Amino acid sequence: MDNPTKMTEGMRINKTGMATAAHADAMREVPGMTERVKIPGAGLDRGVTDARAAYLKETHALGTVPPPTSVKGAAKAALEMLKGNKAIALVDRMAERLAFERTGVRFYGALLEKLDVGSGFDGGPSRDDLLEIRDEELAHAKMLKESLEQLGADPTAVTPSADLAGIEAQGLGSVFADARTTVGQCLHALLVAELADHENWTLLRKLADEMGQEDLAARFQKAEQEEQRHLEQVRAWAKAYARAEAGLG
Amino acid sequence: MSLELFKEKGVPLDQQRFTWRDLVREPISKLDNDAFSRVRIILMNGIEAESNRFLHALARMNGPLRTEAARVRRVDQHQQTLVNWLNPPDQSPLETTIGFEQVAIEVTASIAQSEPDPYLAQVYRYGLLEDFDHMYRYAALMDRMEGKDANSLLQCYTDILPGRPTSVEHRAPEDDLRRPYDRRSADPLTKLNALTIMAGENQTHDFYMTIGPMYSDPIARQLYAEIASIEEQHVTQYESLLDPEQTWLENWLLHEATEVYNYYSCAQFEDDKRIRSIWERFCDYELGQLHFVMDLFQRIEDRDPREILPERLPEPIQYKSQRDFVRNVLEKEVGYRAKGTEIGDLDESEATRAYREHMNSEGSPSEMVSDGYIWTPGTELLRAAG
């Protein structure tokens, strides 16, 4: 190429790797330059580890879970069984699920927008597929809201686990919202979301079971089963996309 | 009894020191700290950023003062770091944006009520309703893009409702310039207020300009482009309130006094003991810097700082919900517009109309993002569930 830094008209070239970089040879000289440039000495690893350890030891928790406050009727009996930290733990995880499901609804909304402009593929999701999953995620969110209220908990509160779920979802959300990503490209992020979704419903259902919360466990089991179906669907789409990209079948 | 500016000497400049460990403290908890702690942190970052900005400008235009400016600026730099790094890492850029607008609403509302000059108070009320609307648009974005509830940051202190629509806030530059206060006759509180609000808006502008392109959603990017443009308008507006005849040193003295005033205000209301100790420490630092500049003012301009500064600080900024005041202003003044230096129920200039029409000619992100949006606890998705 006459000018390797110039983007070829109409053709985009990935410039991140060394194999095609114009100055790769010069760059390869760098590791051998330790005589010319003073490299920080050994022991720095311990230094940064110790510095981090100081913060890890001194810092307080992310935040607290507001305990259930207003409990009525049948919920009172249920709450009685949740002594000690059990109520807090359950509320925290239910809030995480609620946060995740709400965000999930928005993820599927973004995918629908992409599908509607034609970025779908053979073997991929149809509009009805995405709508069905989105509506089920919303139903899960509503169920969790009602369940939290029945336990006397505040469904608008952001618990530590809900907060962490929000941080985790930020990366996924960036993928869905990017106008440059296709439905197929979003499937990796969707798989991460649905794997976490299903796994955490299973965990929550088992927790409710062990805590003797039969009614809750039954609701969570329904959600878990629906999430199982979502996961299987997303796996199939991801497989179809990967095969289509590779020109197989 | 408030702080006596001439009696309290604070900490001498050469004793204002830090270490990296000192600068990077445990941040506040997004979940457990009061929203007003976040408001104070955000505002004080802005106050320090303004000091940095001002002292750089001063240095460029005043060779003999370069060393003194650099010394004070270095301390302000580190104060800014310590304060801003109290923001927690689990607070996303959009969540921080909600915090920024809460600052704009609650602090501007407090200042609009304490401002002795009726014209400036009107300017603050005018800007207030615009920032109030920005909050509504960002809250809609957060709900619809992420499925999150902005009220978890606001903690019910601040309403989420439309204000003066962002789409009509776009004005020709000449309609953003207001009448400056007269440095000879203005109440000292007028000067402190103007610097405070200008600092807040300037950092908001800078923040939105920085994070806007970090969003992948093109409509989120458009919304930030739109609101960042308004924030530039707001900086222009509030900056125009300052008397341009004030000397550099007069300005510097007022900047230091504004910093003392703001740290003092923060300390009066801070309920987190750990954070309050930071406000108190930095109030003492700013007093030390104030006395350093008082000395320069006397030696170089041969003037008494008492010409400019009050003996005592005014009543602090009120860090509490200003909901009733905001609702009242919303009801009465949401239809107000600006033309030239005037604000009220008036017709806008042709230049403003033409500018706005052109800017909005391919769609309005603030309108698109919040179409039909009604804030609901736990997000609009759960409205049907009751």
Side-chain angles (χ1 to χ4, degrees), chain B residues 8-291:
Chain B
E8 304 290 340
K9 309 285 188 203
V11 172
L13 190 63
D14 58 8
Q15 290 175 33
Q16 297 178 13
R17 304 196 305 173
F18 303 85
T19 66
W20 304 120
R21 183 67 181 87
D22 183 19
L23 290 185
V24 181
R25 307 281 187 96
E26 178 181 343
I28 60 167
S29 167
K30 192 178 77 177
L31 311 186
D32 293 357
N33 268 96
D34 190 88
F36 275 104
S37 289
R38 177 175 31 254
V39 162
R40 286 184 280 269
I41 287 164
I42 289 172
L43 179 65
M44 293 320 296
N45 176 58
I47 296 292
E48 292 294 358
E50 165 58 26
S51 177
N52 183 282
R53 186 181 305 116
F54 168 72
L55 288 176
H56 273 300
L58 181 144
R60 289 175 210 179
M61 306 299 287
N62 295 273
L65 286 173
R66 285 191 313 181
T67 305
E68 286 83 355
R71 285 181 63 196
V72 172
R73 203 168 54 234
R74 181 63 57 83
V75 179
D76 280 337
Q77 160 64 25
H78 294 145
Q79 286 177 263
Q80 183 184 352
T81 306
L82 196 156
V83 168
N84 200 26
W85 271 228
L86 293 171
N87 277 304
D90 56 328
Q91 188 173 285
S92 69
L94 184 47
E95 290 172 332
T96 305
T97 297
I98 298 296
F100 267 71
E101 295 299 350
Q102 189 169 37
V103 172
I105 293 163
E106 300 295 344
V107 174
T108 307
S110 171
I111 279 178
Q113 292 171 86
S114 74
E115 173 54 49
D117 184 318
Y119 173 74
L120 271 78
Q122 171 68 82
V123 175
Y124 297 135
R125 294 196 306 273
Y126 188 68
L128 163 64
L129 291 185
E130 302 198 335
D131 291 319
F132 187 72
D133 192 78
H134 302 164
M135 173 72 85
Y136 170 73
R137 312 290 162 172
Y138 283 129
L141 181 72
M142 183 178 270
D143 193 325
R144 291 174 169 183
M145 191 171 72
E146 299 184 346
K148 284 165 143 180
D149 181 359
N151 188 53
S152 68
L153 286 305
L154 300 173
Q155 297 175 4
C156 300
Y157 287 122
T158 311
D159 288 338
I160 299 174
L161 285 166
R164 180 172 307 112
T166 296
S167 60
V168 311
E169 295 173 15
H170 308 292
R171 291 176 284 273
E174 53 267 34
D175 291 329
D176 282 322
L177 294 165
R178 309 287 166 242
R179 283 185 268 122
Y181 60 71
D182 183 335
R183 68 182 174 89
R184 291 159 300 191
S185 55
D187 190 295
L189 179 57
T190 293
K191 300 177 185 180
L192 300 178
N193 283 344
L195 279 173
T196 298
I197 297 296
M198 180 187 74
E201 293 295 293
N202 209 329
Q203 77 146 352
T204 305
H205 166 262
D206 291 351
F207 181 62
Y208 294 166
M209 289 299 288
T210 302
I211 66 170
M214 293 179 182
Y215 289 87
S216 59
D217 176 26
I219 304 307
R221 291 163 83 95
Q222 272 200 27
L223 182 65
Y224 273 84
E226 184 180 13
I227 296 181
S229 181
I230 304 296
E231 300 302 350
E232 152 54 29
Q233 290 183 222
H234 284 181
V235 179
T236 297
Q237 169 174 267
Y238 293 127
E239 180 180 77
S240 70
L241 296 176
L242 308 185
D243 186 337
E245 301 302 317
Q246 291 172 142
T247 65
W248 281 99
L249 272 166
E250 209 173 315
N251 260 299
W252 193 354
L253 205 56
L254 284 168
H255 270 76
E256 296 301 340
T258 301
E259 291 179 84
V260 175
Y261 177 57
N262 272 280
Y263 280 119
Y264 172 75
S265 298
C266 289
Q268 300 310 300
F269 283 87
E270 186 60 60
D271 64 342
D272 183 318
K273 207 166 90 170
R274 182 175 68 93
I275 307 297
R276 189 168 62 246
S277 72
I278 293 170
W279 305 141
E280 288 166 348
R281 173 184 172 188
F282 287 172
C283 188
D284 282 336
Y285 280 23
E286 296 301 344
L287 280 165
Q289 294 169 30
L290 176 65
H291 282 271

Side-chain angles (χ1 to χ4, degrees), chain A residues 55 58-60 62-64 98 102-103 105-106 138 141-142 145 156 158-160 163 166-167 170 173-174 177-179, chain B residues 21 24 26 29-32 90 92 143-148 152 216-218 377-382 384-386:
Chain A
Y55 282 101
E58 292 166 13
T59 308
H60 294 90
L62 201 58
T64 57
L98 174 55
R102 284 189 336 220
T103 302
V105 172
R106 299 307 189 189
L138 180 58
K142 288 177 178 177
K145 175 183 182 288
T156 67
V158 177
T159 64
D163 187 32
I167 299 166
Q170 277 176 52
S174 289
D178 199 322
Chain B
R21 183 67 181 87
V24 181
E26 178 181 343
S29 167
K30 192 178 77 177
L31 311 186
D32 293 357
D90 56 328
S92 69
D143 193 325
R144 291 174 169 183
M145 191 171 72
E146 299 184 346
K148 284 165 143 180
S152 68
S216 59
D217 176 26
T379 80
E380 65 178 354
L381 288 175
L382 301 181

Side-chain angles (χ1 to χ4, degrees), chain B residues 311-379:
Chain B
E311 285 292 329
R312 288 182 178 285
L313 280 180
E315 283 302 296
I317 293 169
Q318 300 293 298
Y319 285 102
K320 51 189 182 184
S321 175
Q322 306 294 335
R323 166 176 276 113
D324 290 344
F325 175 77
V326 176
R327 285 183 180 177
N328 195 266
V329 175
L330 183 64
E331 198 181 333
K332 295 187 176 142
E333 299 187 4
V334 72
Y336 280 13
R337 298 291 182 264
K339 185 174 180 179
T341 58
E342 301 315 300
I343 290 168
D345 200 1
L346 44 75
D347 291 330
E348 290 175 305
S349 69
E350 185 48 42
T352 277
R353 276 197 291 263
Y355 167 74
R356 180 186 304 142
E357 200 179 293
H358 181 77
M359 290 302 293
N360 289 334
S361 61
E362 292 187 292
S364 164
S366 53
E367 292 297 324
M368 284 189 270
V369 143
S370 56
D371 185 25
Y373 183 69
I374 299 172
W375 173 77
T376 308
T379 80

Side-chain angles (χ1 to χ4, degrees), chain A residues 2-202:
Chain A
D2 291 341
N3 180 353
T5 62
K6 188 180 170 196
M7 223 161 91
T8 305
E9 190 70 39
M11 193 167 111
R12 294 171 62 147
I13 302 169
N14 185 309
K15 293 183 175 54
T16 61
M18 289 188 70
T20 51
H23 304 285
D25 287 343
M27 203 66 202
R28 283 192 188 95
E29 293 168 1
V30 169
M33 289 175 72
T34 52
E35 285 177 6
R36 292 167 62 184
V37 175
K38 186 171 163 55
I39 304 292
L44 197 65
D45 176 62
R46 200 60 236 163
V48 75
T49 304
D50 288 344
R52 283 208 187 93
Y55 282 101
L56 291 168
K57 284 179 201 161
E58 292 166 13
T59 308
H60 294 90
L62 201 58
T64 57
V65 179
T69 50
S70 59
V71 188
K72 292 177 185 166
K76 220 172 189 170
L79 212 60
E80 269 303 301
M81 302 179 69
L82 295 171
K83 292 218 165 40
N85 287 334
K86 288 186 181 150
I88 299 287
L90 189 60
V91 164
D92 186 30
R93 286 183 179 277
M94 287 170 68
E96 178 274 328
R97 299 279 71 233
L98 174 55
F100 201 94
E101 295 291 14
R102 284 189 336 220
T103 302
V105 172
R106 299 307 189 189
F107 287 173
Y108 278 97
L111 280 173
L112 277 160
E113 286 180 354
K114 288 182 193 291
L115 198 66
D116 286 347
V117 297
S119 87
F121 59 94
D122 288 339
S126 69
R127 192 161 216 284
D128 284 344
D129 288 331
L130 295 179
L131 277 171
E132 186 182 36
I133 296 178
R134 188 196 68 175
D135 291 348
E136 284 178 354
E137 306 289 19
L138 180 58
H140 296 164
K142 288 177 178 177
M143 177 270 288
L144 284 157
K145 175 183 182 288
E146 282 158 15
S147 303
L148 280 162
E149 284 169 341
Q150 281 163 13
L151 281 178
D154 179 358
T156 67
V158 177
T159 64
S161 292
D163 187 32
L164 290 172
I167 299 166
E168 292 156 19
Q170 277 176 52
L172 301 177
S174 289
V175 171
F176 294 120
D178 199 322
R180 302 168 300 175
T181 57
T182 61
V183 169
Q185 284 178 312
C186 287
L187 289 174
H188 190 280
L190 196 58
L191 205 48
V192 170
E194 290 294 355
L195 281 164
D197 210 3
H198 176 258
E199 193 65 28
N200 282 295
W201 274 115
T202 302

